[in-house]
Amino acid sequence: MTRRPVDTGSPDRLYTVTGGRSHTADTTVFDLVTLVVSECDPTPGMQSEHVRILTLCRHPAAVVEIAAELSMPITVVRILLEDLLAAGRITARRPRAAAAAADLPESALLKEVLHGLRNL
């Protein structure tokens, strides 16, 4: 089995796609599981990667899914998403924080539910 490199894009192409930027202004906005939804349709003259992102995000998609579909590194996708967010073309929603351990159901109850589901 031959392993492929993770970044299959040409460095020159990626440099052009991001306009020479190598990181986002705010690294906390787009983590791997942030859900992205397009707020508008692509318009003529848009960068092709932006068009593909808006098309992919007609239904909520995680940042990692978008990167996989575009076959681009996460850092490049975050830069593109930041551009679209600044233009108001997408919305981003981070997942809710996990509930406190005291608020979670007891493990015995979860085991009973799992047992019941397996008996179905």
Side-chain angles (χ1 to χ4, degrees):
M1 181 169 109
T2 306
R3 294 187 75 185
R4 293 184 316 150
V6 174
D7 181 6
T8 58
S10 163
D12 295 336
R13 180 181 165 295
L14 297 177
Y15 181 85
T16 304
V17 166
T18 62
R21 295 170 290 161
S22 61
H23 62 278
T24 57
D26 185 4
T27 57
T28 62
V29 176
F30 296 107
D31 60 7
L32 296 179
V33 292
T34 299
L35 290 178
V36 178
V37 180
S38 60
E39 294 295 328
C40 63
D41 290 327
T43 56
M46 285 183 74
Q47 186 175 338
S48 62
E49 290 80 12
H50 287 156
V51 170
R52 288 191 59 205
I53 290 172
L54 289 176
T55 304
L56 286 169
C57 294
R58 287 188 177 137
H59 301 288
V63 173
V64 70
E65 293 174 304
I66 297 166
E69 286 291 326
L70 295 176
S71 298
M72 294 181 131
I74 293 287
T75 54
V76 172
V77 172
R78 284 181 176 156
I79 292 168
L80 295 172
L81 290 172
E82 189 177 73
D83 293 343
L84 291 170
L85 184 65
R89 296 184 181 274
I90 61 169
T91 55
R93 187 183 70 180
R94 296 191 63 172
R96 286 186 251 159
D103 296 335
L104 296 174
E106 293 183 26
S107 62
L109 174 63
L110 293 174
K111 287 179 184 177
E112 287 180 35
V113 170
L114 182 60
H115 181 69
L117 289 171
R118 285 183 180 155
N119 288 335
L120 288 177

